[in-house]
Every structure is written in C-alpha cells, then in structure tokens.
Amino acid sequence: MAREPLAATPSQISEIRCIACASVVARPSQTFRCPSCGDLLEIVYSGWKTSLNAESLKVIWRNRQTSRTAVDQSGVWRFRELLPLFTDEQIITLHEGNTSLYELPTCARSAGVEHLLAKHQGMNPTGSFKDTGMTVAASVARAEGFRWVGCASTGNTSASMAAYAARGGMRSLVLIPEGKIAWGKLSQALDYDALTCELKTDFDGCLRILSEVVQRMPVYLLNSVNPYRIEGQKTTAIELLEQLDWQAPDHIIVPGGNLGNSSAIGKALLELRALGFIRSLPRLSIIQAEGANALVRTMRETGGRELIAVKAETAASAIRIGNPASWKKAVRVLQETGGTVEQVSEAEIALAKAEIGAEGIGCEPASAVTLGGLKKLVRSGFVKRKESVVLILTGHLLKDPDYTIKFHRGELLGASEPIAAQQRAPIVLDATVDAVVGALKRAEQKT
Ligand code: F0G
C-alpha cells in the first residue's frame, strides 16, 4: 500500500490548555503544570469540529491495518488523526497497541453478567498499557532534543519508558520505591539500560523528588502528568470501539492508581462521541485497592471536590499510590460518563486474578481489581446482568510472578474459602509413573 504522507491537517492543530483555568500554554514547563494556577494540562484540538469525518476515518483506519509501514502498524499511530502531529522520522514506535479483546465466560458467570470482555493492554510490547502513551510522549522528548527522560514509577512506567528511550537513542532515569517493585518490571528497566534509582520512599515521594530534579536538570518528565502520555493512552478506547464495530458497551471498568489511564480512556470516549464515532457513552468506572483508595474516598466523602490523599498499602504494587496526580481529570470523566468508583480487598483482588488466570488469559494483580470491582457493582445493582461490560486489563501476568506463586502456595493470604478453590500450588511427587498417574486421578475426581 502506498505510503500516506503525514501532512498537517487542521484536525491535528492542537493546543495545550489548563484543565482548571483554561489558560493556553504555549510551551509547557518541565513539570507540566499550568504557569497561572499550577493545575494539570491537557491537549485540545480546535480544528476538529470542521475537519474530521467519522465515517471516512473509520475506513482509513481499517485500511491501514494492511499497510506495512511502522506508523500504520502501530495500534496508536494508526489513529493519528486524533493525536498531535508528528512526522514519520520523529516517531519512536515498538508496534504498540493492537491488543486483543477476549471473552471471559467463566468470569462473567462468577461476576453475574451475561457477557464479559477483557481488553488486554498487558499484551503490549513491554507488557503493560503504558506503551500506548509512551510512544507519543517519548517521541516528543526526542523531537525536542532531550538526551534524558525520567519517571517515578511503581514499575510499568519505568519499564516502558526505558524501552522507548533506548529505541529512541535517549538515556532514562527511573525513580522507584525501594523494595516495592515487581521483579518482572525491575528487570526490564535494568535490561533496557535505565539509570535505576531505588529511593527509600513510596511512589508519591518518588514523583515529588522527580518533579524537583527535572527543574534542576534537563530531564524530560514522562509520568502521566505529561499530557502527551494521555493522548497516546486514548487509543486503548479508540481501538476497543473499533473492535466492537463502534457499538459502545454499557460499561468500561479500569483500575485506578495515579489516574492517568482512566482519564485518557474517558477523554477518548468523550471525544469519540463529540466527533460522531459513537452515539452513546459507556459508563467508565474506576476500581482501587482498599489500601490505596484515594479516589474512592474523594468521591464518597467530598463528592469529588477535594482530594483525600491516603498512605497507600496493597500487594497490587502497581497501584500502591496514595496521592493520585490526575484525580481531577478522573473525577470529570466519572461525572461526564456517569461511572462510579469501587474498592476491593486484597483477598478479592487475588481471587479475581486467579479466576482471570484460569480462563487462560492472566494479568497482574492491579488489573484484577476490575473483575473484583465488577462483582461488587453487580451486587449493588450499578451493573445489570444483561449489560455489556469490558474490563481493561492493564498488565501482563508475567510482570509479577512472585505474587502469583505466593498466592497459589497459600503464602499471600492463607487458604480460607473461597480462595482455596482457586489455589493451584505445584505438588512435589516421587519421580515415578505411579505417582503422576495417582495425581492425575485425584485431580480428575475433583472436577
Ligand atoms: N495497572 C497497572 C498494571 C499499572 O502499572 C498502573 C499504574 C495502573 C493500573 C494504574 O494506572 O496510574 O494510570 O491510574 N502504574 C504506574 C507505574 C503508576 O508507575 O507503572 P494509572
């Protein structure tokens, strides 16, 4: 297929605007905060209303699936009309996006709905949803001439950033809470050549320190306060809707940590509706771990008006965040889509994770909060049995093998019902045929 030039169209002329005071920012500062009021920034596209046609874009995007060029093969850049403008040469891509949508029939029964789908963002090149945002923001960093990029992370952002920096010929600085990062993620940052610093603090402390470092040193900040990350992560929702033939599901359920991802998916849904791609809006609901429930408390105790920060603790280390930076964006998305918040216990997370694993899919603990949360939303009547639901699974099962092994061995939570039914610890046997046949027969009797 002939290469389409990436020429500027009015649709891609974007502005960076403050979410609170609406000031337009010509060039964001190192910390991506509004120079007038200090709030977060977002990207808006003034030319959209007049220049984009949803029906023709649907065809263009579908046709690009047969193209062999790197930008067309990316599940992010395939949708580039809804992203800021880049030239081919500026883009750092690892063929991100293009993730599968799986049916989860057993989990559906367990949750009490007829139809349940999971979009698995853990199937991205570095094993998490972060790649969809990183391809955009890392490309900006390189285009602006930065030699260094940096992030604070609970693990996945650092893995993704380090990979895209390495591909783009940049160095990366990773700040992580000491001893709180799953091995899969830490090993990625090391292998992808990051300068990895373990700090004796939590994620929130790491982000605070990084915000000061980037003001002293020329390091480009790649946390999700960077609005380019959010633009790339919008494509999760765009690709999902395309996979559903532009029929919006009733509910989309996402885990909440620093709240960039829920903000991004919500932004995409609102934009897709405004542009006429979809007629109805799915309700976007956000699930947190009980021990890291800042948004849940913020919504329940202040109606979303004031952030209630918490001291976070959960074995779902990806979302061990107490002071979420994008809370205001997430509140707006909840309110505009009619979604809700829910929290789940450590046992509910572990059980849900094992159930998703038993479907042959698997995910990391933070992703499993979605299924745990769905069960509660069905029980409360917020999600109805016949409604269609999509869970966003954010990270791959292999990110955190320690957690999985501890769970199955009964070392994470013990073996109380109904956890025991999902525990599948390895059995140590004599090295004989009889021992294996005996184990097979016992297993057969149980099913
Ligand atoms: N799921 C996984 C697997 C994550 O890694 C994260 C965040 C989330 C969910 C929550 O997403 O922060 O956008 O609300 N991980 C970040 C990191 C914070 O550093 O990897 P969020």
Side-chain angles (χ1 to χ4, degrees):
M1 189 174 144
R3 180 77 198 85
E4 274 176 58
L6 291 184
T9 70
S11 66
Q12 289 163 311
I13 296 170
S14 55
E15 278 177 350
I16 303 177
R17 203 175 62 184
C18 173
I19 60 165
C21 71
S23 302
V24 173
V25 178
R27 205 184 149 72
S29 70
Q30 298 276 74
T31 54
F32 294 99
R33 292 281 171 178
C34 172
S36 309
C37 74
D39 220 316
L40 291 186
L41 305 176
E42 67 176 347
I43 294 180
V44 292
Y45 303 82
S46 46
W48 267 3
K49 285 237 158 20
T50 49
S51 63
L52 286 184
N53 178 298
E55 291 315 309
S56 60
L57 276 180
K58 288 177 187 175
V59 176
I60 291 171
W61 292 344
R62 198 173 49 233
N63 288 343
R64 282 182 190 151
Q65 282 176 316
T66 57
S67 159
R68 290 191 191 285
T69 65
V71 285
D72 286 345
Q73 287 192 354
S74 160
V76 171
W77 297 105
R78 197 157 66 78
F79 305 107
R80 55 187 169 267
E81 284 77 6
L82 303 195
L83 300 176
L85 179 70
F86 288 83
T87 63
D88 265 23
E89 299 67 42
Q90 288 172 319
I91 290 174
I92 308 168
T93 175
L94 283 166
H95 199 174
E96 53 287 318
N98 300 306
T99 59
S100 293
L101 193 57
Y102 297 107
E103 296 267 356
L104 296 181
T106 311
C107 293
R109 270 196 298 285
S110 151
V113 290
E114 285 180 6
H115 196 212
L116 180 61
L117 292 168
K119 180 150 178 70
H120 206 326
Q121 293 301 95
M123 301 300 182
N124 267 289
T126 76
S128 84
F129 70 96
K130 306 286 182 180
D131 296 344
T132 56
M134 210 52 81
T135 181
V136 179
S139 299
V140 176
R142 188 172 66 172
E144 292 191 357
F146 280 88
R147 256 176 39 77
W148 280 87
V149 292
C151 73
S153 183
T154 57
N156 281 323
T157 302
S158 52
S160 179
M161 177 188 75
Y164 281 84
R167 296 297 298 173
M170 295 179 287
R171 297 294 317 279
S172 59
L173 169 70
V174 164
L175 302 189
I176 47 175
E178 187 195 18
K180 297 292 182 185
I181 302 298
W183 286 121
K185 306 173 189 182
L186 180 57
S187 58
Q188 285 179 290
L190 304 181
D191 236 32
Y192 301 142
D193 193 26
L195 171 61
T196 304
C197 307
E198 295 193 82
L199 305 189
K200 293 183 192 310
T201 179
D202 55 11
F203 167 84
D204 305 294
C206 290
L207 190 53
R208 234 177 357 257
I209 289 172
L210 185 70
S211 303
E212 296 199 18
V213 171
V214 297
Q215 296 180 64
R216 297 246 303 257
M217 300 291 288
V219 175
Y220 186 79
L221 182 71
L222 278 179
N223 279 95
S224 58
V225 291
N226 180 323
Y228 292 104
R229 283 264 317 273
I230 302 297
E231 290 309 288
Q233 286 175 211
K234 285 187 327 193
T235 57
T236 300
I238 305 173
E239 189 178 74
L240 167 67
L241 268 303
E242 184 188 57
Q243 286 166 315
L244 294 173
D245 227 359
W246 304 104
Q247 300 301 309
D250 297 306
H251 296 273
I252 297 178
I253 301 189
V254 290
N258 213 23
L259 301 175
N261 201 34
S262 36
S263 304
I265 291 171
K267 185 172 192 279
L269 295 174
L270 294 167
E271 290 176 355
L272 289 173
R273 190 184 57 174
L275 291 167
F277 283 86
I278 52 173
R279 279 211 198 87
S280 62
L281 268 184
R283 292 178 192 273
L284 188 115
S285 294
I286 303 173
I287 316 295
Q288 296 192 300
E290 268 176 16
N293 61 353
L295 182 70
V296 175
R297 290 196 54 190
T298 296
M299 293 307 291
R300 291 184 181 166
E301 294 170 37
T302 79
R305 280 182 292 279
E306 255 174 69
L307 176 67
I308 300 186
V310 300
K311 178 106 190 70
E313 196 46 82
T314 169
S317 58
I319 50 173
R320 191 171 171 274
I321 294 173
N323 189 13
S326 293
W327 69 276
K328 276 192 194 165
K329 289 186 179 181
V331 167
R332 191 173 71 183
V333 156
L334 286 170
Q335 288 171 342
E336 294 198 22
T337 70
T340 189
V341 287
E342 189 49 272
Q343 58 185 358
V344 285
S345 69
E346 296 297 302
E348 286 165 334
I349 297 171
L351 186 59
K353 182 173 130 50
E355 289 177 296
I356 295 167
E359 296 250 33
I361 304 293
C363 62
E364 68 163 283
S367 309
V369 300
T370 54
L371 178 61
L374 172 63
K375 292 180 190 177
K376 289 181 133 171
L377 295 181
V378 172
R379 281 204 294 276
S380 73
F382 183 80
V383 174
K384 311 273 181 307
R385 189 176 178 76
K386 286 194 181 304
E387 288 181 324
S388 53
V389 184
V390 179
L391 308 180
I392 306 294
L393 302 181
T394 44
H396 198 280
L397 169 68
L398 294 177
K399 287 280 192 174
D400 194 352
D402 257 16
Y403 179 103
T404 309
I405 289 173
K406 278 190 188 145
F407 170 77
H408 287 293
R409 288 197 162 137
E411 294 162 9
L412 192 69
L413 299 157
S416 62
E417 284 290 335
I419 301 275
Q422 288 292 341
Q423 282 172 330
R424 306 177 274 272
I427 32 185
V428 180
L429 298 173
D430 288 336
T432 66
V433 174
D434 279 351
V436 176
V437 168
L440 251 179
K441 286 183 175 161
R442 283 192 297 278
E444 181 62 22
Q445 272 162 15
K446 274 201 205 158
T447 51

